[in-house]
Amino acid sequence: MADENGRIKSVVTDKEEIIECQVVGLTPGVSPNVSFLNDSGIELGRGIKVNRFLETNIKDIYAIGDCAEQHEPIGNRRPIEAVWYTGRMMGETVAQTICGNRTEYKPGHWFNSAKFLDIEYQTYGWVFSTSGKKTYEQHFHWRHPAEKICLTIAFDKETRQFLGINTFGIRMRHEIFDRWLNEERDVMHVIKYLKDANFDPEFYAVYENEIAAKFNLEYGTDLKPEKKNWKRIFAIG
Ligand SMILES: Cc1cc2nc3c(=O)[nH]c(=O)nc-3n(C[C@H](O)[C@H](O)[C@H](O)COP(=O)(O)OP(=O)(O)OC[C@H]3O[C@@H](n4cnc5c(N)ncnc54)[C@H](O)[C@@H]3O)c2cc1C
């Protein structure tokens, strides 16, 4: 709904609920604009169909980035991955291939980052939303009492294996989470060494002790976060 100046003032939901607001964000998703290829002979789906080598059905023609669609999705990834890290990794992969080293696209563990207004968001591994939560998945959630800062850690209910993390307002170190996912660490390891993963700039407030305290309370553990250790971070020695 608009006010008398044509500016947004509220949203009316399908339950007739009125939510007052100043800004509306629309999330229509992404559709590759590939209709110009309709008569090209290149196989299309929603995007340009590619195999694991990012090759189309026509020799020497590749597709990468937002327009590329995998025949079969890779792991939990979507067949079209419209994020810029994917475009970069696909670019590196195809560059190898066209320079003579035919290389398969292997994106590794899912990760992404974005910035919504002044809030930074990061994700490593898989944390499914409440509606899509897997039966084996348990979530630990911590939220700052006043600031827009929070994190959610997903882990396996039974084995407590770490599955993924979402953070709002805390920057994390990609290499560390990639390593912990490869090493199949448990959630207790993540809480204990969370200071190693923090990538916020110097003098930023840190919250690992509060996060560990909440985890201890909820899961009856007695974890004490280790001091940040650069040798551990860079896996030296
Ligand atoms: C508002 C917004 C916010 C985003 N935020 C994030 C984020 O926070 N994190 C993240 O990971 N990703 C984000 N993305 C997604 C990310 O920007 C894209 O995944 C990435 O840019 C895709 O790169 P690409 O090279 O595949 O395509 P593009 O960057 O779209 O490049 C395609 C290029 O092809 C050109 N082109 C199109 N048709 C033709 C033609 N017929 N002939 C010649 N040239 C043509 C276009 O002009 C364009 O320059 C965001 C996207 C949007 C729109």
Side-chain angles (χ1 to χ4, degrees), residues 33 36 64-67 81-87 112-115:
N33 183 2
F36 73 103
I64 61 170
D66 281 12
C67 67
E81 291 179 58
V83 289
W84 83 261
Y85 298 101
T86 290
N112 199 5
S113 69
K115 198 165 182 178

Side-chain angles (χ1 to χ4, degrees), residues 29-235:
V30 178
S31 302
N33 183 2
V34 292
S35 53
F36 73 103
L37 295 171
N38 280 346
D39 302 323
S40 65
I42 297 173
E43 188 185 347
L44 303 176
R46 275 187 58 228
I48 302 169
K49 291 279 195 179
V50 291
N51 63 15
R52 289 289 199 265
F53 293 85
L54 306 169
E55 298 160 333
T56 66
N57 60 317
I58 295 186
K59 191 175 176 313
D60 295 335
I61 297 186
Y62 306 86
I64 61 170
D66 281 12
C67 67
E69 178 180 354
Q70 284 286 329
H71 290 287
E72 295 297 329
I74 301 174
N76 286 322
R77 288 166 183 263
R78 295 192 175 151
I80 298 176
E81 291 179 58
V83 289
W84 83 261
Y85 298 101
T86 290
R88 187 188 65 187
M89 290 189 289
M90 287 180 167
E92 287 168 356
T93 304
V94 165
Q96 288 286 342
T97 299
I98 61 182
C99 290
N101 176 27
R102 189 166 178 260
T103 300
E104 189 177 340
Y105 172 58
K106 285 188 184 161
H109 297 291
W110 170 251
F111 68 100
N112 199 5
S113 69
K115 198 165 182 178
F116 304 118
L117 306 177
D118 60 344
I119 306 174
E120 301 210 25
Y121 159 75
Q122 297 193 328
T123 188
Y124 301 100
W126 293 106
V127 183
F128 291 97
S129 63
T130 312
S131 59
K133 206 165 150 187
K134 307 286 179 195
T135 48
Y136 55 78
E137 201 182 340
Q138 181 142 359
H139 285 179
F140 164 69
H141 185 69
W142 173 86
R143 186 172 178 180
H144 190 283
E147 305 290 333
K148 292 183 185 111
I149 300 172
C150 68
L151 60 73
T152 303
I153 299 177
F155 58 97
D156 188 289
K157 265 181 199 157
E158 288 190 4
T159 63
R160 296 208 166 180
Q161 186 181 326
F162 168 62
L163 301 173
I165 184 167
N166 282 348
T167 66
F168 274 85
I170 306 177
R171 252 183 254 177
M172 294 288 185
R173 198 177 289 277
H174 178 199
E175 293 84 352
I176 292 280
F177 283 110
D178 210 47
R179 192 187 307 159
W180 290 345
L181 287 164
N182 278 337
E183 293 170 350
E184 302 186 353
R185 295 290 186 177
D186 61 28
V187 63
M188 285 79 84
H189 183 92
V190 172
I191 299 289
K192 193 167 170 200
Y193 294 103
L194 201 56
K195 290 184 183 181
D196 284 357
N198 187 296
F199 196 58
D200 270 332
E202 220 178 351
F203 308 125
Y204 267 50
V206 289
Y207 303 103
E208 289 83 10
N209 293 340
E210 287 94 319
I211 294 166
K214 183 163 191 257
F215 186 89
N216 285 333
L217 203 67
E218 285 181 22
Y219 295 100
T221 47
D222 186 24
L223 300 168
K224 294 181 182 60
E226 295 279 331
K227 268 180 74 178
K228 179 177 255 185
N229 180 306
W230 292 105
K231 282 191 175 169
R232 223 172 22 234
I233 291 170
F234 293 113

